mmCIF file with all atom_site columns, all heavy atoms in Angstrom:
data_model
loop_
_atom_site.group_PDB
_atom_site.id
_atom_site.type_symbol
_atom_site.label_atom_id
_atom_site.label_alt_id
_atom_site.label_comp_id
_atom_site.label_asym_id
_atom_site.label_entity_id
_atom_site.label_seq_id
_atom_site.pdbx_PDB_ins_code
_atom_site.Cartn_x
_atom_site.Cartn_y
_atom_site.Cartn_z
_atom_site.occupancy
_atom_site.B_iso_or_equiv
_atom_site.pdbx_formal_charge
_atom_site.auth_seq_id
_atom_site.auth_comp_id
_atom_site.auth_asym_id
_atom_site.auth_atom_id
_atom_site.pdbx_PDB_model_num
ATOM 1   N N   . GLY A 1 1  ? 0.300   11.614  2.138  1.00 98.00 ? 908 GLY A N   1
ATOM 2   C CA  . GLY A 1 1  ? 1.348   12.104  1.335  1.00 98.00 ? 908 GLY A CA  1
ATOM 3   C C   . GLY A 1 1  ? 1.340   13.628  1.136  1.00 98.00 ? 908 GLY A C   1
ATOM 4   O O   . GLY A 1 1  ? 0.255   14.226  1.346  1.00 98.00 ? 908 GLY A O   1
ATOM 5   N N   . GLY A 1 2  ? 2.399   14.199  0.693  1.00 97.00 ? 909 GLY A N   1
ATOM 6   C CA  . GLY A 1 2  ? 2.488   15.616  0.314  1.00 97.00 ? 909 GLY A CA  1
ATOM 7   C C   . GLY A 1 2  ? 2.890   16.466  1.561  1.00 97.00 ? 909 GLY A C   1
ATOM 8   O O   . GLY A 1 2  ? 2.691   16.032  2.680  1.00 97.00 ? 909 GLY A O   1
ATOM 9   N N   . THR A 1 3  ? 3.333   17.638  1.174  1.00 96.00 ? 910 THR A N   1
ATOM 10  C CA  . THR A 1 3  ? 3.681   18.614  2.205  1.00 96.00 ? 910 THR A CA  1
ATOM 11  C C   . THR A 1 3  ? 2.931   19.838  2.178  1.00 96.00 ? 910 THR A C   1
ATOM 12  O O   . THR A 1 3  ? 2.511   20.435  3.186  1.00 96.00 ? 910 THR A O   1
ATOM 13  C CB  . THR A 1 3  ? 5.305   18.923  2.009  1.00 96.00 ? 910 THR A CB  1
ATOM 14  O OG1 . THR A 1 3  ? 6.009   17.753  2.034  1.00 96.00 ? 910 THR A OG1 1
ATOM 15  C CG2 . THR A 1 3  ? 5.757   19.907  3.143  1.00 96.00 ? 910 THR A CG2 1
ATOM 16  N N   . ALA A 1 4  ? 2.745   20.477  0.973  1.00 97.00 ? 911 ALA A N   1
ATOM 17  C CA  . ALA A 1 4  ? 2.076   21.709  0.818  1.00 97.00 ? 911 ALA A CA  1
ATOM 18  C C   . ALA A 1 4  ? 1.542   21.799  -0.624 1.00 97.00 ? 911 ALA A C   1
ATOM 19  O O   . ALA A 1 4  ? 1.951   20.991  -1.468 1.00 97.00 ? 911 ALA A O   1
ATOM 20  C CB  . ALA A 1 4  ? 2.987   22.893  1.062  1.00 97.00 ? 911 ALA A CB  1
ATOM 21  N N   . SER A 1 5  ? 0.636   22.753  -0.855 1.00 96.00 ? 912 SER A N   1
ATOM 22  C CA  . SER A 1 5  ? -0.059  22.783  -2.114 1.00 96.00 ? 912 SER A CA  1
ATOM 23  C C   . SER A 1 5  ? 0.870   23.346  -3.231 1.00 96.00 ? 912 SER A C   1
ATOM 24  O O   . SER A 1 5  ? 0.556   23.167  -4.468 1.00 96.00 ? 912 SER A O   1
ATOM 25  C CB  . SER A 1 5  ? -1.307  23.670  -2.082 1.00 96.00 ? 912 SER A CB  1
ATOM 26  O OG  . SER A 1 5  ? -0.887  25.051  -1.668 1.00 96.00 ? 912 SER A OG  1
ATOM 27  N N   . ASN A 1 6  ? 2.012   23.897  -2.854 1.00 97.00 ? 913 ASN A N   1
ATOM 28  C CA  . ASN A 1 6  ? 2.928   24.384  -3.885 1.00 97.00 ? 913 ASN A CA  1
ATOM 29  C C   . ASN A 1 6  ? 4.216   23.532  -3.955 1.00 97.00 ? 913 ASN A C   1
ATOM 30  O O   . ASN A 1 6  ? 5.218   24.061  -4.446 1.00 97.00 ? 913 ASN A O   1
ATOM 31  C CB  . ASN A 1 6  ? 3.237   25.882  -3.645 1.00 97.00 ? 913 ASN A CB  1
ATOM 32  C CG  . ASN A 1 6  ? 3.846   26.113  -2.249 1.00 97.00 ? 913 ASN A CG  1
ATOM 33  O OD1 . ASN A 1 6  ? 3.949   25.200  -1.419 1.00 97.00 ? 913 ASN A OD1 1
ATOM 34  N ND2 . ASN A 1 6  ? 4.164   27.353  -1.933 1.00 97.00 ? 913 ASN A ND2 1
ATOM 35  N N   . ILE A 1 7  ? 4.212   22.336  -3.495 1.00 98.00 ? 914 ILE A N   1
ATOM 36  C CA  . ILE A 1 7  ? 5.332   21.450  -3.538 1.00 98.00 ? 914 ILE A CA  1
ATOM 37  C C   . ILE A 1 7  ? 4.956   20.174  -4.164 1.00 98.00 ? 914 ILE A C   1
ATOM 38  O O   . ILE A 1 7  ? 3.910   19.539  -3.831 1.00 98.00 ? 914 ILE A O   1
ATOM 39  C CB  . ILE A 1 7  ? 5.914   21.166  -2.147 1.00 98.00 ? 914 ILE A CB  1
ATOM 40  C CG1 . ILE A 1 7  ? 6.319   22.465  -1.408 1.00 98.00 ? 914 ILE A CG1 1
ATOM 41  C CG2 . ILE A 1 7  ? 7.044   20.168  -2.148 1.00 98.00 ? 914 ILE A CG2 1
ATOM 42  C CD1 . ILE A 1 7  ? 6.759   22.279  0.079  1.00 98.00 ? 914 ILE A CD1 1
ATOM 43  N N   . VAL A 1 8  ? 5.733   19.768  -5.148 1.00 97.00 ? 915 VAL A N   1
ATOM 44  C CA  . VAL A 1 8  ? 5.489   18.325  -5.816 1.00 97.00 ? 915 VAL A CA  1
ATOM 45  C C   . VAL A 1 8  ? 5.858   17.382  -4.587 1.00 97.00 ? 915 VAL A C   1
ATOM 46  O O   . VAL A 1 8  ? 6.827   17.438  -4.037 1.00 97.00 ? 915 VAL A O   1
ATOM 47  C CB  . VAL A 1 8  ? 6.532   18.149  -6.942 1.00 97.00 ? 915 VAL A CB  1
ATOM 48  C CG1 . VAL A 1 8  ? 6.465   16.790  -7.364 1.00 97.00 ? 915 VAL A CG1 1
ATOM 49  C CG2 . VAL A 1 8  ? 6.190   19.135  -8.063 1.00 97.00 ? 915 VAL A CG2 1
ATOM 50  N N   . PRO A 1 9  ? 4.916   16.504  -4.341 1.00 98.00 ? 916 PRO A N   1
ATOM 51  C CA  . PRO A 1 9  ? 5.123   15.620  -3.160 1.00 98.00 ? 916 PRO A CA  1
ATOM 52  C C   . PRO A 1 9  ? 6.213   14.621  -3.377 1.00 98.00 ? 916 PRO A C   1
ATOM 53  O O   . PRO A 1 9  ? 6.312   13.966  -4.369 1.00 98.00 ? 916 PRO A O   1
ATOM 54  C CB  . PRO A 1 9  ? 3.794   14.933  -3.038 1.00 98.00 ? 916 PRO A CB  1
ATOM 55  C CG  . PRO A 1 9  ? 3.159   14.968  -4.404 1.00 98.00 ? 916 PRO A CG  1
ATOM 56  C CD  . PRO A 1 9  ? 3.659   16.292  -5.034 1.00 98.00 ? 916 PRO A CD  1
ATOM 57  N N   . ARG A 1 10 ? 7.108   14.538  -2.358 1.00 98.00 ? 917 ARG A N   1
ATOM 58  C CA  . ARG A 1 10 ? 8.240   13.675  -2.405 1.00 98.00 ? 917 ARG A CA  1
ATOM 59  C C   . ARG A 1 10 ? 7.847   12.232  -1.968 1.00 98.00 ? 917 ARG A C   1
ATOM 60  O O   . ARG A 1 10 ? 8.368   11.313  -2.389 1.00 98.00 ? 917 ARG A O   1
ATOM 61  C CB  . ARG A 1 10 ? 9.354   14.215  -1.484 1.00 98.00 ? 917 ARG A CB  1
ATOM 62  C CG  . ARG A 1 10 ? 10.558  13.257  -1.463 1.00 98.00 ? 917 ARG A CG  1
ATOM 63  C CD  . ARG A 1 10 ? 11.635  13.744  -0.571 1.00 98.00 ? 917 ARG A CD  1
ATOM 64  N NE  . ARG A 1 10 ? 12.781  12.819  -0.337 1.00 98.00 ? 917 ARG A NE  1
ATOM 65  C CZ  . ARG A 1 10 ? 12.894  11.919  0.495  1.00 98.00 ? 917 ARG A CZ  1
ATOM 66  N NH1 . ARG A 1 10 ? 11.904  11.733  1.394  1.00 98.00 ? 917 ARG A NH1 1
ATOM 67  N NH2 . ARG A 1 10 ? 13.929  11.076  0.547  1.00 98.00 ? 917 ARG A NH2 1
ATOM 68  N N   . GLU A 1 11 ? 6.931   12.107  -0.977 1.00 98.00 ? 918 GLU A N   1
ATOM 69  C CA  . GLU A 1 11 ? 6.540   10.828  -0.421 1.00 98.00 ? 918 GLU A CA  1
ATOM 70  C C   . GLU A 1 11 ? 5.037   10.581  -0.294 1.00 98.00 ? 918 GLU A C   1
ATOM 71  O O   . GLU A 1 11 ? 4.367   11.599  -0.021 1.00 98.00 ? 918 GLU A O   1
ATOM 72  C CB  . GLU A 1 11 ? 7.240   10.726  0.938  1.00 98.00 ? 918 GLU A CB  1
ATOM 73  C CG  . GLU A 1 11 ? 7.011   9.374   1.659  1.00 98.00 ? 918 GLU A CG  1
ATOM 74  C CD  . GLU A 1 11 ? 7.770   9.240   2.967  1.00 98.00 ? 918 GLU A CD  1
ATOM 75  O OE1 . GLU A 1 11 ? 8.884   8.857   3.019  1.00 98.00 ? 918 GLU A OE1 1
ATOM 76  O OE2 . GLU A 1 11 ? 7.101   9.504   4.012  1.00 98.00 ? 918 GLU A OE2 1
ATOM 77  N N   . CYS A 1 12 ? 4.754   9.438   -0.401 1.00 98.00 ? 919 CYS A N   1
ATOM 78  C CA  . CYS A 1 12 ? 3.285   9.032   -0.243 1.00 98.00 ? 919 CYS A CA  1
ATOM 79  C C   . CYS A 1 12 ? 3.211   7.572   0.313  1.00 98.00 ? 919 CYS A C   1
ATOM 80  O O   . CYS A 1 12 ? 3.912   6.764   -0.274 1.00 98.00 ? 919 CYS A O   1
ATOM 81  C CB  . CYS A 1 12 ? 2.517   9.082   -1.505 1.00 98.00 ? 919 CYS A CB  1
ATOM 82  S SG  . CYS A 1 12 ? 0.677   8.758   -1.284 1.00 98.00 ? 919 CYS A SG  1
ATOM 83  N N   . LYS A 1 13 ? 2.580   7.477   1.393  1.00 98.00 ? 920 LYS A N   1
ATOM 84  C CA  . LYS A 1 13 ? 2.338   6.139   2.014  1.00 98.00 ? 920 LYS A CA  1
ATOM 85  C C   . LYS A 1 13 ? 0.954   5.586   1.747  1.00 98.00 ? 920 LYS A C   1
ATOM 86  O O   . LYS A 1 13 ? 0.009   6.339   2.028  1.00 98.00 ? 920 LYS A O   1
ATOM 87  C CB  . LYS A 1 13 ? 2.619   6.077   3.529  1.00 98.00 ? 920 LYS A CB  1
ATOM 88  C CG  . LYS A 1 13 ? 4.116   6.363   3.901  1.00 98.00 ? 920 LYS A CG  1
ATOM 89  C CD  . LYS A 1 13 ? 4.397   6.217   5.281  1.00 98.00 ? 920 LYS A CD  1
ATOM 90  C CE  . LYS A 1 13 ? 5.794   6.537   5.678  1.00 98.00 ? 920 LYS A CE  1
ATOM 91  N NZ  . LYS A 1 13 ? 6.634   5.397   5.291  1.00 98.00 ? 920 LYS A NZ  1
ATOM 92  N N   . VAL A 1 14 ? 0.887   4.384   1.322  1.00 98.00 ? 921 VAL A N   1
ATOM 93  C CA  . VAL A 1 14 ? -0.488  3.783   1.126  1.00 98.00 ? 921 VAL A CA  1
ATOM 94  C C   . VAL A 1 14 ? -0.548  2.515   1.932  1.00 98.00 ? 921 VAL A C   1
ATOM 95  O O   . VAL A 1 14 ? 0.220   1.614   1.856  1.00 98.00 ? 921 VAL A O   1
ATOM 96  C CB  . VAL A 1 14 ? -0.641  3.330   -0.392 1.00 98.00 ? 921 VAL A CB  1
ATOM 97  C CG1 . VAL A 1 14 ? -1.974  2.661   -0.655 1.00 98.00 ? 921 VAL A CG1 1
ATOM 98  C CG2 . VAL A 1 14 ? -0.513  4.563   -1.302 1.00 98.00 ? 921 VAL A CG2 1
ATOM 99  N N   . ARG A 1 15 ? -1.515  2.542   2.795  1.00 98.00 ? 922 ARG A N   1
ATOM 100 C CA  . ARG A 1 15 ? -1.719  1.319   3.699  1.00 98.00 ? 922 ARG A CA  1
ATOM 101 C C   . ARG A 1 15 ? -2.918  0.539   3.096  1.00 98.00 ? 922 ARG A C   1
ATOM 102 O O   . ARG A 1 15 ? -3.949  1.051   2.824  1.00 98.00 ? 922 ARG A O   1
ATOM 103 C CB  . ARG A 1 15 ? -1.989  1.756   5.135  1.00 98.00 ? 922 ARG A CB  1
ATOM 104 C CG  . ARG A 1 15 ? -0.831  2.505   5.808  1.00 98.00 ? 922 ARG A CG  1
ATOM 105 C CD  . ARG A 1 15 ? -1.001  2.816   7.236  1.00 98.00 ? 922 ARG A CD  1
ATOM 106 N NE  . ARG A 1 15 ? 0.081   3.540   7.800  1.00 98.00 ? 922 ARG A NE  1
ATOM 107 C CZ  . ARG A 1 15 ? 1.139   2.976   8.322  1.00 98.00 ? 922 ARG A CZ  1
ATOM 108 N NH1 . ARG A 1 15 ? 1.263   1.597   8.353  1.00 98.00 ? 922 ARG A NH1 1
ATOM 109 N NH2 . ARG A 1 15 ? 2.158   3.664   8.775  1.00 98.00 ? 922 ARG A NH2 1
ATOM 110 N N   . TRP A 1 16 ? -2.694  -0.704  2.986  1.00 98.00 ? 923 TRP A N   1
ATOM 111 C CA  . TRP A 1 16 ? -3.630  -1.564  2.305  1.00 98.00 ? 923 TRP A CA  1
ATOM 112 C C   . TRP A 1 16 ? -3.622  -2.987  2.944  1.00 98.00 ? 923 TRP A C   1
ATOM 113 O O   . TRP A 1 16 ? -2.686  -3.297  3.691  1.00 98.00 ? 923 TRP A O   1
ATOM 114 C CB  . TRP A 1 16 ? -3.468  -1.700  0.786  1.00 98.00 ? 923 TRP A CB  1
ATOM 115 C CG  . TRP A 1 16 ? -2.097  -2.011  0.337  1.00 98.00 ? 923 TRP A CG  1
ATOM 116 C CD1 . TRP A 1 16 ? -0.965  -1.355  0.382  1.00 98.00 ? 923 TRP A CD1 1
ATOM 117 C CD2 . TRP A 1 16 ? -1.769  -3.347  -0.235 1.00 98.00 ? 923 TRP A CD2 1
ATOM 118 N NE1 . TRP A 1 16 ? 0.088   -2.067  -0.255 1.00 98.00 ? 923 TRP A NE1 1
ATOM 119 C CE2 . TRP A 1 16 ? -0.308  -3.288  -0.545 1.00 98.00 ? 923 TRP A CE2 1
ATOM 120 C CE3 . TRP A 1 16 ? -2.430  -4.545  -0.600 1.00 98.00 ? 923 TRP A CE3 1
ATOM 121 C CZ2 . TRP A 1 16 ? 0.317   -4.308  -1.172 1.00 98.00 ? 923 TRP A CZ2 1
ATOM 122 C CZ3 . TRP A 1 16 ? -1.785  -5.560  -1.188 1.00 98.00 ? 923 TRP A CZ3 1
ATOM 123 C CH2 . TRP A 1 16 ? -0.393  -5.521  -1.448 1.00 98.00 ? 923 TRP A CH2 1
ATOM 124 N N   . ASN A 1 17 ? -4.717  -3.707  2.774  1.00 97.00 ? 924 ASN A N   1
ATOM 125 C CA  . ASN A 1 17 ? -4.687  -5.060  3.396  1.00 97.00 ? 924 ASN A CA  1
ATOM 126 C C   . ASN A 1 17 ? -5.373  -6.086  2.487  1.00 97.00 ? 924 ASN A C   1
ATOM 127 O O   . ASN A 1 17 ? -6.088  -5.715  1.525  1.00 97.00 ? 924 ASN A O   1
ATOM 128 C CB  . ASN A 1 17 ? -5.351  -5.070  4.778  1.00 97.00 ? 924 ASN A CB  1
ATOM 129 C CG  . ASN A 1 17 ? -6.858  -4.635  4.784  1.00 97.00 ? 924 ASN A CG  1
ATOM 130 O OD1 . ASN A 1 17 ? -7.579  -5.150  3.966  1.00 97.00 ? 924 ASN A OD1 1
ATOM 131 N ND2 . ASN A 1 17 ? -7.219  -3.658  5.584  1.00 97.00 ? 924 ASN A ND2 1
ATOM 132 N N   . VAL A 1 18 ? -5.064  -7.270  2.779  1.00 97.00 ? 925 VAL A N   1
ATOM 133 C CA  . VAL A 1 18 ? -5.599  -8.375  2.098  1.00 97.00 ? 925 VAL A CA  1
ATOM 134 C C   . VAL A 1 18 ? -6.277  -9.337  3.162  1.00 97.00 ? 925 VAL A C   1
ATOM 135 O O   . VAL A 1 18 ? -5.671  -9.638  4.126  1.00 97.00 ? 925 VAL A O   1
ATOM 136 C CB  . VAL A 1 18 ? -4.574  -9.270  1.242  1.00 97.00 ? 925 VAL A CB  1
ATOM 137 C CG1 . VAL A 1 18 ? -5.197  -10.425 0.645  1.00 97.00 ? 925 VAL A CG1 1
ATOM 138 C CG2 . VAL A 1 18 ? -3.820  -8.393  0.328  1.00 97.00 ? 925 VAL A CG2 1
ATOM 139 N N   . ARG A 1 19 ? -7.501  -9.747  2.905  1.00 96.00 ? 926 ARG A N   1
ATOM 140 C CA  . ARG A 1 19 ? -8.114  -10.792 3.698  1.00 96.00 ? 926 ARG A CA  1
ATOM 141 C C   . ARG A 1 19 ? -8.364  -12.005 2.741  1.00 96.00 ? 926 ARG A C   1
ATOM 142 O O   . ARG A 1 19 ? -9.205  -11.951 1.837  1.00 96.00 ? 926 ARG A O   1
ATOM 143 C CB  . ARG A 1 19 ? -9.453  -10.309 4.336  1.00 96.00 ? 926 ARG A CB  1
ATOM 144 C CG  . ARG A 1 19 ? -9.207  -9.195  5.324  1.00 96.00 ? 926 ARG A CG  1
ATOM 145 C CD  . ARG A 1 19 ? -10.405 -8.781  6.071  1.00 96.00 ? 926 ARG A CD  1
ATOM 146 N NE  . ARG A 1 19 ? -10.165 -7.813  7.079  1.00 96.00 ? 926 ARG A NE  1
ATOM 147 C CZ  . ARG A 1 19 ? -9.948  -8.068  8.471  1.00 96.00 ? 926 ARG A CZ  1
ATOM 148 N NH1 . ARG A 1 19 ? -9.899  -9.302  8.828  1.00 96.00 ? 926 ARG A NH1 1
ATOM 149 N NH2 . ARG A 1 19 ? -9.697  -7.083  9.262  1.00 96.00 ? 926 ARG A NH2 1
ATOM 150 N N   . GLY A 1 20 ? -7.650  -13.083 2.963  1.00 97.00 ? 927 GLY A N   1
ATOM 151 C CA  . GLY A 1 20 ? -7.645  -14.157 2.090  1.00 97.00 ? 927 GLY A CA  1
ATOM 152 C C   . GLY A 1 20 ? -8.363  -15.369 2.568  1.00 97.00 ? 927 GLY A C   1
ATOM 153 O O   . GLY A 1 20 ? -8.301  -15.729 3.726  1.00 97.00 ? 927 GLY A O   1
ATOM 154 N N   . LEU A 1 21 ? -9.067  -15.966 1.690  1.00 96.00 ? 928 LEU A N   1
ATOM 155 C CA  . LEU A 1 21 ? -9.742  -17.252 1.975  1.00 96.00 ? 928 LEU A CA  1
ATOM 156 C C   . LEU A 1 21 ? -8.701  -18.231 2.331  1.00 96.00 ? 928 LEU A C   1
ATOM 157 O O   . LEU A 1 21 ? -7.497  -18.141 1.930  1.00 96.00 ? 928 LEU A O   1
ATOM 158 C CB  . LEU A 1 21 ? -10.492 -17.781 0.759  1.00 96.00 ? 928 LEU A CB  1
ATOM 159 C CG  . LEU A 1 21 ? -11.675 -16.917 0.273  1.00 96.00 ? 928 LEU A CG  1
ATOM 160 C CD1 . LEU A 1 21 ? -12.183 -17.463 -1.115 1.00 96.00 ? 928 LEU A CD1 1
ATOM 161 C CD2 . LEU A 1 21 ? -12.851 -17.001 1.234  1.00 96.00 ? 928 LEU A CD2 1
ATOM 162 N N   . PRO A 1 22 ? -8.975  -19.249 3.247  1.00 95.00 ? 929 PRO A N   1
ATOM 163 C CA  . PRO A 1 22 ? -7.936  -20.294 3.564  1.00 95.00 ? 929 PRO A CA  1
ATOM 164 C C   . PRO A 1 22 ? -7.410  -20.756 2.265  1.00 95.00 ? 929 PRO A C   1
ATOM 165 O O   . PRO A 1 22 ? -8.135  -21.253 1.359  1.00 95.00 ? 929 PRO A O   1
ATOM 166 C CB  . PRO A 1 22 ? -8.755  -21.372 4.280  1.00 95.00 ? 929 PRO A CB  1
ATOM 167 C CG  . PRO A 1 22 ? -9.873  -20.477 5.002  1.00 95.00 ? 929 PRO A CG  1
ATOM 168 C CD  . PRO A 1 22 ? -10.232 -19.460 4.019  1.00 95.00 ? 929 PRO A CD  1
ATOM 169 N N   . GLY A 1 23 ? -6.085  -20.892 2.194  1.00 94.00 ? 930 GLY A N   1
ATOM 170 C CA  . GLY A 1 23 ? -5.420  -21.426 1.009  1.00 94.00 ? 930 GLY A CA  1
ATOM 171 C C   . GLY A 1 23 ? -5.012  -20.348 -0.047 1.00 94.00 ? 930 GLY A C   1
ATOM 172 O O   . GLY A 1 23 ? -4.303  -20.563 -0.978 1.00 94.00 ? 930 GLY A O   1
ATOM 173 N N   . PHE A 1 24 ? -5.528  -19.063 0.230  1.00 95.00 ? 931 PHE A N   1
ATOM 174 C CA  . PHE A 1 24 ? -5.180  -17.978 -0.760 1.00 95.00 ? 931 PHE A CA  1
ATOM 175 C C   . PHE A 1 24 ? -3.682  -17.623 -0.604 1.00 95.00 ? 931 PHE A C   1
ATOM 176 O O   . PHE A 1 24 ? -3.137  -17.566 0.461  1.00 95.00 ? 931 PHE A O   1
ATOM 177 C CB  . PHE A 1 24 ? -6.014  -16.790 -0.493 1.00 95.00 ? 931 PHE A CB  1
ATOM 178 C CG  . PHE A 1 24 ? -5.774  -15.625 -1.397 1.00 95.00 ? 931 PHE A CG  1
ATOM 179 C CD1 . PHE A 1 24 ? -6.183  -15.734 -2.690 1.00 95.00 ? 931 PHE A CD1 1
ATOM 180 C CD2 . PHE A 1 24 ? -5.080  -14.537 -0.912 1.00 95.00 ? 931 PHE A CD2 1
ATOM 181 C CE1 . PHE A 1 24 ? -5.938  -14.542 -3.563 1.00 95.00 ? 931 PHE A CE1 1
ATOM 182 C CE2 . PHE A 1 24 ? -4.836  -13.446 -1.798 1.00 95.00 ? 931 PHE A CE2 1
ATOM 183 C CZ  . PHE A 1 24 ? -5.236  -13.443 -3.102 1.00 95.00 ? 931 PHE A CZ  1
ATOM 184 N N   . ASP A 1 25 ? -3.081  -17.416 -1.749 1.00 95.00 ? 932 ASP A N   1
ATOM 185 C CA  . ASP A 1 25 ? -1.614  -17.095 -1.786 1.00 95.00 ? 932 ASP A CA  1
ATOM 186 C C   . ASP A 1 25 ? -1.337  -15.606 -1.815 1.00 95.00 ? 932 ASP A C   1
ATOM 187 O O   . ASP A 1 25 ? -1.250  -14.939 -2.894 1.00 95.00 ? 932 ASP A O   1
ATOM 188 C CB  . ASP A 1 25 ? -0.984  -17.775 -3.010 1.00 95.00 ? 932 ASP A CB  1
ATOM 189 C CG  . ASP A 1 25 ? 0.619   -17.691 -3.021 1.00 95.00 ? 932 ASP A CG  1
ATOM 190 O OD1 . ASP A 1 25 ? 1.140   -16.928 -2.138 1.00 95.00 ? 932 ASP A OD1 1
ATOM 191 O OD2 . ASP A 1 25 ? 1.226   -18.356 -3.871 1.00 95.00 ? 932 ASP A OD2 1
ATOM 192 N N   . GLU A 1 26 ? -1.229  -14.973 -0.597 1.00 94.00 ? 933 GLU A N   1
ATOM 193 C CA  . GLU A 1 26 ? -1.046  -13.558 -0.542 1.00 94.00 ? 933 GLU A CA  1
ATOM 194 C C   . GLU A 1 26 ? 0.308   -13.189 -1.074 1.00 94.00 ? 933 GLU A C   1
ATOM 195 O O   . GLU A 1 26 ? 0.512   -12.117 -1.649 1.00 94.00 ? 933 GLU A O   1
ATOM 196 C CB  . GLU A 1 26 ? -1.115  -13.066 0.905  1.00 94.00 ? 933 GLU A CB  1
ATOM 197 C CG  . GLU A 1 26 ? -2.535  -13.146 1.526  1.00 94.00 ? 933 GLU A CG  1
ATOM 198 C CD  . GLU A 1 26 ? -2.731  -14.466 2.281  1.00 94.00 ? 933 GLU A CD  1
ATOM 199 O OE1 . GLU A 1 26 ? -1.833  -15.308 2.204  1.00 94.00 ? 933 GLU A OE1 1
ATOM 200 O OE2 . GLU A 1 26 ? -3.736  -14.638 2.973  1.00 94.00 ? 933 GLU A OE2 1
ATOM 201 N N   . ASP A 1 27 ? 1.322   -14.051 -0.949 1.00 94.00 ? 934 ASP A N   1
ATOM 202 C CA  . ASP A 1 27 ? 2.658   -13.752 -1.395 1.00 94.00 ? 934 ASP A CA  1
ATOM 203 C C   . ASP A 1 27 ? 2.742   -13.575 -2.893 1.00 94.00 ? 934 ASP A C   1
ATOM 204 O O   . ASP A 1 27 ? 3.415   -12.657 -3.436 1.00 94.00 ? 934 ASP A O   1
ATOM 205 C CB  . ASP A 1 27 ? 3.607   -14.828 -0.994 1.00 94.00 ? 934 ASP A CB  1
ATOM 206 C CG  . ASP A 1 27 ? 3.924   -14.884 0.497  1.00 94.00 ? 934 ASP A CG  1
ATOM 207 O OD1 . ASP A 1 27 ? 3.628   -13.881 1.239  1.00 94.00 ? 934 ASP A OD1 1
ATOM 208 O OD2 . ASP A 1 27 ? 4.334   -15.984 1.015  1.00 94.00 ? 934 ASP A OD2 1
ATOM 209 N N   . ALA A 1 28 ? 1.902   -14.409 -3.615 1.00 97.00 ? 935 ALA A N   1
ATOM 210 C CA  . ALA A 1 28 ? 1.890   -14.253 -5.014 1.00 97.00 ? 935 ALA A CA  1
ATOM 211 C C   . ALA A 1 28 ? 1.208   -12.891 -5.472 1.00 97.00 ? 935 ALA A C   1
ATOM 212 O O   . ALA A 1 28 ? 1.720   -12.298 -6.410 1.00 97.00 ? 935 ALA A O   1
ATOM 213 C CB  . ALA A 1 28 ? 1.067   -15.425 -5.732 1.00 97.00 ? 935 ALA A CB  1
ATOM 214 N N   . LEU A 1 29 ? 0.221   -12.467 -4.693 1.00 97.00 ? 936 LEU A N   1
ATOM 215 C CA  . LEU A 1 29 ? -0.441  -11.199 -5.033 1.00 97.00 ? 936 LEU A CA  1
ATOM 216 C C   . LEU A 1 29 ? 0.603   -10.048 -4.748 1.00 97.00 ? 936 LEU A C   1
ATOM 217 O O   . LEU A 1 29 ? 0.676   -9.125  -5.710 1.00 97.00 ? 936 LEU A O   1
ATOM 218 C CB  . LEU A 1 29 ? -1.655  -11.053 -4.195 1.00 97.00 ? 936 LEU A CB  1
ATOM 219 C CG  . LEU A 1 29 ? -2.477  -9.739  -4.435 1.00 97.00 ? 936 LEU A CG  1
ATOM 220 C CD1 . LEU A 1 29 ? -3.987  -10.022 -4.365 1.00 97.00 ? 936 LEU A CD1 1
ATOM 221 C CD2 . LEU A 1 29 ? -2.032  -8.548  -3.583 1.00 97.00 ? 936 LEU A CD2 1
ATOM 222 N N   . VAL A 1 30 ? 1.293   -10.097 -3.721 1.00 97.00 ? 937 VAL A N   1
ATOM 223 C CA  . VAL A 1 30 ? 2.255   -9.046  -3.424 1.00 97.00 ? 937 VAL A CA  1
ATOM 224 C C   . VAL A 1 30 ? 3.397   -9.040  -4.519 1.00 97.00 ? 937 VAL A C   1
ATOM 225 O O   . VAL A 1 30 ? 3.865   -7.983  -4.922 1.00 97.00 ? 937 VAL A O   1
ATOM 226 C CB  . VAL A 1 30 ? 2.875   -9.177  -2.023 1.00 97.00 ? 937 VAL A CB  1
ATOM 227 C CG1 . VAL A 1 30 ? 3.880   -8.184  -1.807 1.00 97.00 ? 937 VAL A CG1 1
ATOM 228 C CG2 . VAL A 1 30 ? 1.715   -9.067  -0.925 1.00 97.00 ? 937 VAL A CG2 1
ATOM 229 N N   . ALA A 1 31 ? 3.877   -10.189 -4.903 1.00 97.00 ? 938 ALA A N   1
ATOM 230 C CA  . ALA A 1 31 ? 4.904   -10.302 -5.940 1.00 97.00 ? 938 ALA A CA  1
ATOM 231 C C   . ALA A 1 31 ? 4.368   -9.668  -7.197 1.00 97.00 ? 938 ALA A C   1
ATOM 232 O O   . ALA A 1 31 ? 5.156   -8.951  -7.858 1.00 97.00 ? 938 ALA A O   1
ATOM 233 C CB  . ALA A 1 31 ? 5.297   -11.790 -6.093 1.00 97.00 ? 938 ALA A CB  1
#
């Protein structure tokens, strides 16, 4: 995220992951 030190950042991308035990409801966590 961010463009320069003197600009309020317009965009930030966060990449994350879930590793769920069998039967874990990832959809509920995302919701």
Side-chain angles (χ1 to χ4, degrees):
T910 305
S912 61
N913 58 356
I914 300 175
V915 173
R917 176 180 178 272
E918 183 178 273
C919 184
K920 291 183 181 290
V921 179
R922 296 184 183 274
W923 54 286
N924 64 50
V925 178
R926 291 184 180 268
L928 298 167
F931 181 73
D932 190 348
E933 293 94 351
D934 292 340
L936 184 144
V937 174

